[in-house]
Structure formats: C-alpha cells, structure tokens
Amino acid sequence: MKVLVTGGSGLVGLSIQQVVEEERTGCEGEDWIFLSSKDANLTSLKETQDVFQKHQPTHVIHLAAMVGGLFKNLNRNLDFWRNNIHINDNVLQAAHEVGVVKVVSCLSTCIFPDKTTYPINETMIHNGPPHESNFGYAYAKRMLDVQNRLYFQQHGHCYTAVIPTNVFGPHDNFSIEEGHVLPGLIHKTYIAKKERKPLVVWGSGTPKRQFIYSLDLARLFLWVLREYPEVEPIILSVGEEDEVSIKEAAEAVVEALDFEGKVVYDTHKSDGQLKKTACNAKLRNYRPDFYFTPFKQALKETCDWFVTNYDTARK
Ligand code: NAP
Ligand code: GFB
C-alpha cells in the first residue's frame, strides 16, 4: 500500500503523520508520502498529474483544501468555491489516471443544509442549501460527494469521504482573523494574559459546536483508509452529548491557559451557524469502542503545545 496524503503539512495531515509514526508496527507494508503545497499546487491539473505520476500511489488521503474559520469564509466565499472545486477535481482525476484503488477525502459538517432537523446524518447532505456564511466552501465540498458516487458508477472505484466536525489540535492555524474558533481563542487569550487586557470573544457565545481532537481524527482516518468499505461518507464526531456552546469553549480555554482577566463578548461580530449537531451512530455501529480524548484534556494539550511553540506556530 503506497499512501499519498494531500494537505500533509496541515493540522490534520501532521496529526496523521504523528499517528503513523507512533503506530509504526501497525503500518508495516505501508509506504506513506505527505505532500504540502510546495510539492504541487493542486489547483493546477498539470502539477497534480505530475505529482501523482511521480509517486504512483495505490491509496490517497485527500486533505488539501482552502480552509478557514467563519470570518475567512465570510470574506472569501468565491475563493473557497473556486480553489476547492479545482483541487478536488484535479486530485480525483489524477488518482483515477494512475489507478489509485481507494481515496478518502474530507468533507465537513458545515456543508449540511442550514434549515434541517437534528441530529444531522449522512443521508442529508444534499437536502437543502448550506448556511450562507460558507456557501462557497460547502458547495465545493458537497461536489466531492457527487464525484465519489460518479467515480464508483462509471469506474467502480472506492473513492469515499469522511465528515468531521470542527477539528482542533497542535499545528492548527492560530491566526486570529482567519482561523477557527478554538485556535483563535487560544491565541487571543495568550495575548490578553500577557498584556493584562480583557479577552474578547466574538459573537454572543450561544452557538454550539462538536469539537474533535486532530489526533483522534487521525486514528479514525487510518481505520477508514484500511477498513471502511463504503463509497457513502461517514460522520466522524463525538456524541451529541459532547456538544458545547462557544461560551463553554471560551471558558475551557480560559481555564486551560489559567487566564484570570475579564471576558467580554463582542455581539457586533457574527455568530455564524447556530448549530450543526451531528449524529455519530454510523461510526458507533462500526467502532463502538473508539475512545475520544476528553475535550478538556485535548484542549489543555493544544494550549500547552501553542505556548511551547509560540514562536513557530502558524498565526
Ligand atoms: P490546514 O491546516 O489549513 O491545512 C491545509 C493543507 O492543504 C495544507 O497542507 C496546505 O499546504 C494544503 N493546501 C492548501 N491549498 C493547497 C494547494 N492549492 N495545493 C496543495 N496543497 C494545498 O487545514 P486542516 O484543518 O488540516 O484541514 C484538512 C482537511 O480537513 C480539509 O479538507 C478541510 O476542509 C477538512 N476539515 C477541517 C476542519 C477544521 O476544523 N480544521 C473541519 C472539517 C473538515 P501548505 O501547508 O503547504 O499550505
Ligand atoms: O470555528 P469557527 O470560526 O467556524 O467558529 P464555524 C465560529 C463561531 O465561534 C461563531 C465564534 O459563533 C463565532 O462568533 N467565535 C468567538 C469565534 N470567538 C471567535 C474567534 O476568536 N474566532 C473565530 N473564528 N470564531 C466554520 C466554517 O464554521 O467551520 C468553515 O465556516 C469550516 O467552512 C469550519 O468548515 C469547520 O464552525 O462557524
């Protein structure tokens, strides 16, 4: 098995790299290659085909994407659509051309319809428009699911996808303006503590999210690559009971970083989608015993990583 990981230098890619290194004995007979955008700009079909020709993978984990939090999405919806549509089309076609037998791509629970019933499950992806805040990203990701079904229909390939909830962990993008909520809050709290200023949480704090630790997600990715047999996607999420409000998430960051200052909410900033509660019954059916790292433990590990690696962290 020769596994090519696109987006191998990002949050999820580096977590998979870490788990592969930790599980070396479980990976016998597997050759792993982790790509970054320096190896190939995957928005270019030629560069994508060249890198696939060079490595001749049998399996692909496709993570590369234009990624960002709510506020980056609000500002650049068109760019999210165009970059991700090109990357996904190029990667799946290049994989097909070199005879890749399995591709596992990455969707996100934000791509589900905004007006829906809860909890969301895998059958509901195409049932109505996504939340307008990430219209471009969500539609581009939905098309990956369409493409997977068509590669199966026309060529019999097992090109499938996972659907994680909000991911966080070491090596995240800690940019305050462009990153996701947890890395953003960790960075802001770190600065507020240093400068003895209040922590400003954006929005009302009432929206809810399910967070998955990148190392847990990495372990699940390896299982999907090796064993999950379906073309239909699978939600990778903690349970509905582990959903937390942004206020609870901010309080957990405050505790993990031992911040004693004031916390204020800037309600002029967008709340984004109020919730996207996902059902992990399908995952639990396959993996009843899978252990998710408790949220506060994972958050503490992430905060410690950020403090230790402050000078070199992406921000
Ligand atoms: P990330 O940390 O921003 O990493 C993105 C990766 O994609 C990097 O390796 C980057 O390479 C690569 N990339 C971006 N544009 C590229 C291009 N034009 N050509 C080649 N490579 C390119 O993102 P992540 O959080 O790990 O996300 C991984 C996957 O999970 C994505 O598909 C994302 O949609 C999905 N996802 C993420 C979350 C989340 O909360 N983070 C939630 C659900 C799903 P460089 O390092 O060289 O820039
Ligand atoms: O992770 P996040 O940016 O994205 O979280 P989404 C946004 C929520 O956190 C909103 C609040 O309710 C914000 O008001 N928030 C509070 C903050 N403080 C902050 C902060 O400092 N930074 C940020 N970023 N938010 C994204 C999608 O949605 O989820 C993407 O836009 C992607 O497409 C990702 O799929 C997983 O969860 O709202």
Side-chain angles (χ1 to χ4, degrees):
M1 211 161 126
K2 192 166 186 187
V3 190
L4 187 73
V5 182
T6 72
S9 52
L11 164 66
V12 181
L14 287 169
S15 301
I16 293 177
Q17 211 163 326
Q18 184 178 328
V19 171
V20 166
E21 276 158 22
E22 283 168 7
E23 290 183 0
R24 211 57 245 182
T25 50
C27 303
E28 273 164 17
E30 294 175 4
D31 185 9
W32 287 80
I33 300 145
F34 293 86
L35 297 183
S36 78
S37 63
K38 293 193 187 80
D39 297 294
N41 177 356
L42 301 175
T43 60
S44 150
L45 178 60
K46 172 82 172 64
E47 289 191 34
T48 310
Q49 286 170 323
D50 287 349
V51 85
F52 274 72
Q53 282 294 342
K54 178 178 166 194
H55 294 293
Q56 296 286 327
T58 59
H59 293 67
V60 171
I61 291 183
H62 171 38
L63 305 170
M66 181 174 176
V67 178
L70 168 64
F71 298 93
K72 183 173 176 184
N73 273 271
L74 283 170
N75 290 330
R76 299 184 60 190
N77 253 305
L78 174 64
D79 296 338
F80 273 94
W81 159 260
R82 296 196 67 230
N83 286 325
N84 289 325
I85 277 289
H86 288 307
I87 291 174
N88 297 338
D89 190 45
N90 293 341
V91 166
L92 292 191
Q93 182 57 21
H96 166 65
E97 286 170 4
V98 300
V100 170
V101 294
K102 185 163 182 177
V103 179
V104 182
S105 297
C106 198
L107 311 179
S108 166
T109 50
C110 68
I111 75 170
F112 282 97
D114 182 41
K115 296 195 175 25
T116 185
T117 53
Y118 297 100
I120 292 158
N121 69 46
E122 291 84 353
T123 67
M124 297 157 77
I125 298 181
H126 304 285
N127 287 359
H131 192 261
E132 63 181 16
S133 62
N134 56 197
F135 209 69
Y137 175 86
Y139 268 117
K141 287 281 181 183
R142 281 186 188 189
M143 290 309 114
L144 254 177
D145 177 59
V146 171
Q147 285 170 297
N148 284 341
R149 290 167 197 274
L150 297 176
Y151 275 100
F152 177 70
Q153 197 184 84
Q154 208 164 314
H155 300 293
H157 292 332
C158 184
Y159 292 178
T160 187
V162 300
I163 315 179
T165 51
N166 290 51
V167 189
F168 72 102
H171 305 286
D172 207 338
N173 178 3
F174 291 85
S175 156
I176 292 174
E177 297 302 325
E178 301 208 322
H180 290 97
V181 58
L182 286 179
L185 286 176
I186 292 169
H187 192 178
K188 288 199 289 193
T189 306
Y190 177 90
I191 291 172
K193 186 174 171 183
K194 208 161 77 179
E195 298 181 352
R196 296 173 182 274
K197 289 193 174 145
L199 164 66
V200 183
V201 180
W202 291 341
S204 66
T206 54
K208 292 185 169 174
R209 299 288 184 266
Q210 285 153 301
F211 293 103
I212 182 167
Y213 192 32
S214 57
L215 290 159
D216 293 343
L217 178 59
R219 290 185 187 100
L220 287 170
F221 250 109
L222 294 194
W223 164 71
V224 170
L225 181 76
R226 293 168 184 155
E227 294 179 45
Y228 179 68
E230 301 182 34
V231 170
E232 300 273 333
I234 182 166
I235 290 173
L236 302 182
S237 173
V238 298
E240 291 158 57
E241 65 284 1
D242 292 318
E243 191 174 48
V244 294
S245 69
I246 297 299
K247 182 168 187 285
E248 288 166 328
E251 286 166 357
V253 171
V254 162
E255 188 185 321
L257 284 172
D258 218 1
F259 174 68
E260 291 175 346
K262 210 171 152 195
V263 179
V264 297
Y265 288 81
D266 180 353
T267 53
H268 293 103
K269 289 276 199 176
S270 171
D271 266 342
Q273 202 161 5
L274 289 184
K275 62 177 183 174
K276 35 191 173 180
T277 318
C279 167
N280 70 357
K282 184 174 183 178
L283 172 65
R284 280 301 180 205
N285 205 24
Y286 276 107
R287 299 292 312 269
D289 300 328
F290 184 80
Y291 174 78
F292 284 101
T293 311
F295 177 60
K296 285 198 174 174
Q297 182 190 327
L299 189 61
K300 178 78 180 121
E301 288 174 15
T302 306
C303 289
D304 289 349
W305 183 91
F306 180 68
V307 172
T308 307
N309 296 281
Y310 183 77
D311 290 338
T312 51
R314 251 191 308 166
K315 54 190 186 313

